[in-house]
Amino acid sequence: MVMMRGLLSTVSRVKLELARSIMSATTSVPSMAEFLTKRPYSPPSWSSHLRPIPSHTFSLAHLPTPIHRWNLPGLPNGTELWIKRDDYTGMELSGNKVRKLEFLMAEAVEQHADTVITIGGIQSNHCRATATASNYLNLSSHLILRTSKLLADDDPGLVGNLLVERLVGANVHLISKEEYSSIGSEALTNALKEKLEKEGKKPYVIPVGGSNSLGTWGYIEAAREIEEQLKSRPDGLKFDDIVVACGSGGTIAGISLGSWLGALKAKVHAFSVCDDPDYFYDFVQGLLDGLHAGVNSRDIVNIHNAKGKGYAMNTSEELKFVKEVASSTGVILDPVYSGKAVYGLINEMTKNPKNWEGRKILFIHTGGLLGLYDKVDQMASLMGNWCRMDVSESVPRKDGVGKMF
């Protein structure tokens, strides 16, 4: 592949530079006593004019997440690429969704909910994180998961995110893509809410991806976190661009607004993995208006189309790219979000290198590692590095020497 020429030949250099460029966190990791604690929320000073301001958060994520240099081969001349590891926000709670859930789950508890409802694709990272967070807080969870018409009446299995969801006891409701398209996510969650209310439950509904105006605060807060990390550096590092995948809109709304209002002032590029840029410009505008931000979405973010074959669908070239990046840098991208975003970014750089030369770019890894398990069959042909170990007859053998614990 042209854009990844020389990828494997630079493995040693890449890993050495990566080790030397790890950026340490600037604020202490929450103690055991602070984890799963509801805390009063104080917004960044530059966002204090937004309304409404959340009253509390629940500490669910392991923050701050590290930032380090990411030496992907084939970058334009003088371009520096860095990566923020929001895939490190936790294990079963890993990814960008948990930042939104810190605000959303606090509101659910404030409203005395006993049940949480949300909705997404069959391998939704958001639904997995919501089910886990609900369980932590002693709330039951109901997940409406979109799948193909042929599979909507069958057991969904235990692959990837589904395994975690079902382990923690989530109630899974399957819906076909056709039904989802004709009814819509809002009507579906409201229908389930009404049903559960009739059963005496007190449900709290979280939209697709946790992407509403309240959830947007998760990445407004992330912008403050990045600011604090940069302030701690002696070299005065400043990013010209921030790049992130876009699947439901809340993450890009928060990070774009935070960069615009705060000290970062970086140009935000979002690579949409579903729908088209115009849809997301309008959706993000709705979230901004819901916060009375007084800004135009098209002024604070550039949205690029990276959906390829469609949501959660990959070409062989995209999957090969994910494999080559992992082999050369150790960073594992998920195939649905970050993988498509970085693939799109490298393609943009290949087409228009002058636009990126000399720039310092921060890529936000939004997690989703469990989504790889749904691509095992497609990726099997890319994995050839194994063999049966050949042990010479000259090697001494004695029964009982090798202990198998």
Side-chain angles (χ1 to χ4, degrees):
M1 188 162 50
V2 174
M3 65 182 177
M4 295 299 292
R5 184 178 296 127
L7 189 62
L8 298 179
S9 65
T10 58
V11 172
S12 298
R13 178 183 61 79
V14 166
K15 290 181 178 178
L16 179 60
E17 291 185 21
L18 174 63
R20 289 174 174 170
S21 66
I22 293 290
M23 177 187 288
S24 61
T26 61
T27 57
S28 60
V29 175
S31 69
M32 288 179 65
E34 293 172 325
F35 185 58
L36 299 182
T37 300
K38 184 180 173 184
R39 300 176 294 188
Y41 178 65
S42 178
S45 59
W46 41 257
S47 68
S48 59
H49 65 288
L50 302 177
R51 292 293 183 274
I53 293 175
S55 60
H56 290 81
T57 65
F58 247 107
S59 57
L60 299 172
H62 299 296
L63 302 174
T65 56
I67 294 174
H68 63 78
R69 184 76 176 269
W70 192 23
N71 292 294
L72 278 181
L75 297 176
N77 293 333
T79 301
E80 288 185 14
L81 183 60
W82 298 71
I83 183 169
K84 183 162 178 63
R85 304 302 298 271
D86 273 12
D87 53 328
Y88 285 1
T89 52
M91 180 57 187
E92 64 274 28
L93 279 172
S94 67
N96 60 324
K97 309 303 184 183
V98 67
R99 288 188 185 267
K100 306 174 190 180
L101 288 171
E102 291 201 322
F103 292 90
L104 295 164
M105 298 305 287
E107 184 175 75
V109 171
E110 285 177 11
Q111 294 183 6
H112 304 290
D114 58 17
T115 303
V116 174
I117 299 170
T118 196
I119 188 168
I122 192 69
Q123 283 294 329
S124 168
N125 299 303
H126 162 69
C127 288
R128 176 256 305 156
T130 300
T132 302
S134 298
N135 199 307
Y136 276 146
L137 302 178
N138 297 315
L139 307 175
S140 65
S141 59
H142 287 257
L143 313 177
I144 303 173
L145 301 181
R146 182 183 66 247
T147 188
S148 70
K149 189 175 182 178
L150 294 175
L151 300 177
D153 295 317
D154 298 332
D155 187 304
L158 298 173
V159 173
N161 287 300
L162 278 165
L163 175 59
V164 176
E165 292 160 359
R166 300 181 76 179
L167 275 174
V168 301
N171 298 281
V172 175
H173 307 260
L174 299 181
I175 194 81
S176 72
K177 293 178 181 179
E178 292 79 7
E179 290 171 306
Y180 185 98
S181 178
S182 62
I183 299 172
S185 63
E186 187 173 346
L188 287 167
T189 51
N190 284 339
L192 183 54
K193 178 183 179 183
E194 291 173 6
K195 178 179 181 292
L196 294 175
E197 285 175 337
K198 289 176 181 178
E199 296 173 2
K201 304 290 186 182
K202 295 180 180 177
Y204 177 85
V205 175
I206 297 177
V208 174
S211 292
N212 57 14
S213 292
L214 177 59
T216 299
W217 282 95
Y219 271 83
I220 294 175
E221 226 358 81
R224 170 159 63 178
E225 181 177 300
I226 296 168
E227 282 184 9
E228 291 174 351
Q229 289 176 292
L230 293 180
K231 285 178 185 176
S232 74
R233 291 183 61 90
D235 58 3
L237 176 65
K238 185 175 177 62
F239 295 118
D240 301 300
D241 304 273
I242 294 174
V243 178
V244 67
C246 172
S248 60
T251 296
I252 68 166
I255 195 66
S256 300
L257 184 59
S259 181
W260 178 267
L261 295 177
L264 292 178
K265 306 302 182 192
K267 188 176 185 178
V268 177
H269 303 265
F271 285 81
S272 64
V273 301
C274 56
D275 295 296
D276 55 51
D278 285 337
Y279 166 83
F280 280 113
Y281 280 123
D282 292 341
F283 185 83
V284 169
Q285 189 63 55
L287 298 182
L288 298 175
D289 292 345
L291 292 171
H292 302 280
V295 297
N296 189 308
S297 63
R298 294 175 184 270
D299 292 335
I300 65 173
V301 60
N302 288 340
I303 303 177
H304 309 255
N305 192 334
K307 67 180 179 181
K309 292 175 66 176
Y311 177 72
M313 300 171 66
N314 293 101
T315 65
S316 58
E317 282 294 297
E318 288 169 347
L319 294 177
K320 184 179 179 182
F321 178 80
V322 168
K323 170 64 169 67
E324 289 174 337
V325 169
S327 296
S328 64
T329 73
V331 174
I332 301 175
L333 301 171
D334 80 291
V336 179
Y337 296 97
S338 290
K340 283 195 173 185
V342 179
Y343 183 79
L345 173 64
I346 295 299
N347 271 318
E348 287 285 335
M349 289 179 168
T350 301
K351 293 176 186 174
N352 303 293
K354 293 293 184 183
N355 293 343
W356 302 91
E357 286 181 357
R359 299 183 72 82
K360 293 180 173 63
I361 303 163
L362 177 66
F363 178 77
I364 300 177
H365 191 324
T366 50
L369 177 62
L370 289 170
L372 277 169
Y373 291 92
D374 195 43
K375 304 292 182 181
V376 168
D377 291 342
Q378 288 177 262
M379 299 192 75
S381 64
L382 302 175
M383 312 294 173
N385 48 338
W386 74 276
C387 67
R388 171 71 161 85
M389 185 173 177
D390 184 16
V391 183
S392 170
E393 288 297 324
S394 64
V395 176
R397 289 162 167 79
K398 182 180 179 181
D399 287 345
V401 172
K403 298 295 183 181
M404 293 176 286
F405 298 98

